[in-house]
Amino acid sequence: MSASESLVCRRHPAERTYIRCGKCEEPVCPRCMVHTPVGVRCPNCVTYVKDPIYDVRTTVILKAALVGAGLALLGGVAWGLIQLLLPFLFVRLLLAGVLGYAMGTVVGASANRKRGAALQAIAGGSVLGAFLLAAFVAPFAAFSVYNLLALIIGVVTAVSAVR
Ligand SMILES: [Zn+2]
Ligand SMILES: [Zn+2]
């Protein structure tokens, strides 16, 4: 077999190729070859290259999401109870800022202080979850303009804490 002779891809028998996987030397066609920092790989070999990095990132995000859900639960009940005890507008707005900052900071800390859009979404989502739960605990004027303003303050402070 000469060097210029074309090979047949094992996954796509109709595809001819000159390229082999850099690890297992299986012929790979343009449809299934994967470019990695260490060269061309077949789909089989690339899973071993990619998975560890992917797993770490997924684990971090999942952990942050769990922490965010827990915070939403605790924060939501606290938010509602404080609103019941101290039904003043400035308390509501101040509380939203403090809660948002605290939730964003804890979510960020749970992800080893990594930053990113996913964490911002988790931080903002946690505040939204807490807000909805607080609306159940303290249903009065839950969706008033001021409460929505409080929600915005909470989400913005939470998101900026992980920015
Ligand atoms: Zn391979
Ligand atoms: Zn192929």
Side-chain angles (χ1 to χ4, degrees):
M1 193 196 275
S2 77
S4 62
E5 200 176 326
S6 66
L7 305 158
V8 176
C9 175
R10 207 164 289 173
R11 286 173 188 76
H12 309 100
E15 297 277 351
R16 303 207 141 258
T17 180
Y18 296 96
I19 297 152
R20 288 174 180 272
C21 168
K23 197 172 180 191
C24 69
E25 306 224 299
E26 188 179 298
V28 282
C29 73
R31 281 169 69 191
C32 56
M33 74 170 66
V34 185
H35 294 277
T36 74
V38 286
V40 172
R41 291 282 183 274
C42 71
N44 266 351
C45 293
V46 86
T47 52
Y48 297 105
V49 177
K50 212 158 75 181
D51 270 354
I53 304 152
Y54 180 75
D55 278 351
V56 166
R57 196 170 156 68
T58 309
T59 308
V60 164
I61 299 294
L62 276 179
K63 189 179 159 202
L66 274 177
V67 168
L71 286 176
L73 217 66
L74 287 175
V77 171
W79 198 347
L81 286 179
I82 294 172
Q83 282 189 19
L84 279 179
L85 295 172
L86 303 163
F88 309 111
L89 179 61
F90 79 93
V91 172
R92 226 178 290 175
L93 298 181
L94 186 72
L95 197 61
V98 171
L99 228 96
Y101 180 77
M103 289 170 79
T105 304
V106 174
V107 165
S110 79
N112 309 323
R113 313 221 159 266
K114 286 195 175 61
R115 299 289 181 263
L119 283 180
Q120 288 172 20
I122 290 168
S126 303
V127 172
L128 179 63
F131 175 83
L132 293 175
L133 191 60
F136 275 104
V137 178
F140 62 92
F143 296 99
S144 71
V145 172
Y146 295 116
N147 258 14
L148 290 180
L149 182 64
L151 172 63
I152 291 165
I153 291 172
V155 170
V156 169
T157 40
V159 168
S160 48
V162 286
R163 181 160 285 168

